[in-house]
Amino acid sequence: TIESVCLILFTLEYVVRLCTVWNVRAEIFEAEKLLEMAVGYEGIPRASKLLRTIRFVLGPANLIDLAAIVPGLVGLCVESENGGFVVLRLIRLTRIFRAFKNPAVAEPVIVISRTMTQSTKALYVLLFNLLLSILIFGSLMFLVEGQGR
């Protein structure tokens, strides 16, 4: 099925990243450290392979990836007929958060969250008016229908 193919691809990608992360130089992606290394005279510090792998595994995006992959693998290994893995299926919904790693998707989400935080007062007024109209029209319906008779 499509779900199994996607699970295999996600697992393969995660394992390849896990096997190659020890050789990634994350410190060169930070502008200040890169400038200091370029103009400085001291040696370039390098974290151990194990430390770089642990940082990779404990990164938020990678924890989300792992949480999306593990329930699928457990579901493939252990078949259950009574629906005992409903919780695992819900955890697999964390795959949705993988989309936020894509910068093209993350920027509109940031804009929407800023807009929401800047317009909270207007949203509170809108919510108040909505609840007030529900109360008024509910009361009118109660009266029109004959007070619950």
Side-chain angles (χ1 to χ4, degrees), residues 1-11 68-76 79 85-86 88-93 95:
T1 65
I2 294 175
E3 184 177 358
S4 299
V5 170
C6 290
L7 179 65
I8 290 169
L9 288 175
F10 286 151
T11 305
I69 292 170
V70 168
L73 294 176
V74 170
L76 285 178
E79 293 295 326
F85 289 111
V86 174
L88 292 179
R89 288 182 183 161
L90 292 175
I91 292 174
R92 283 164 48 188
L93 287 175
R95 290 180 187 158

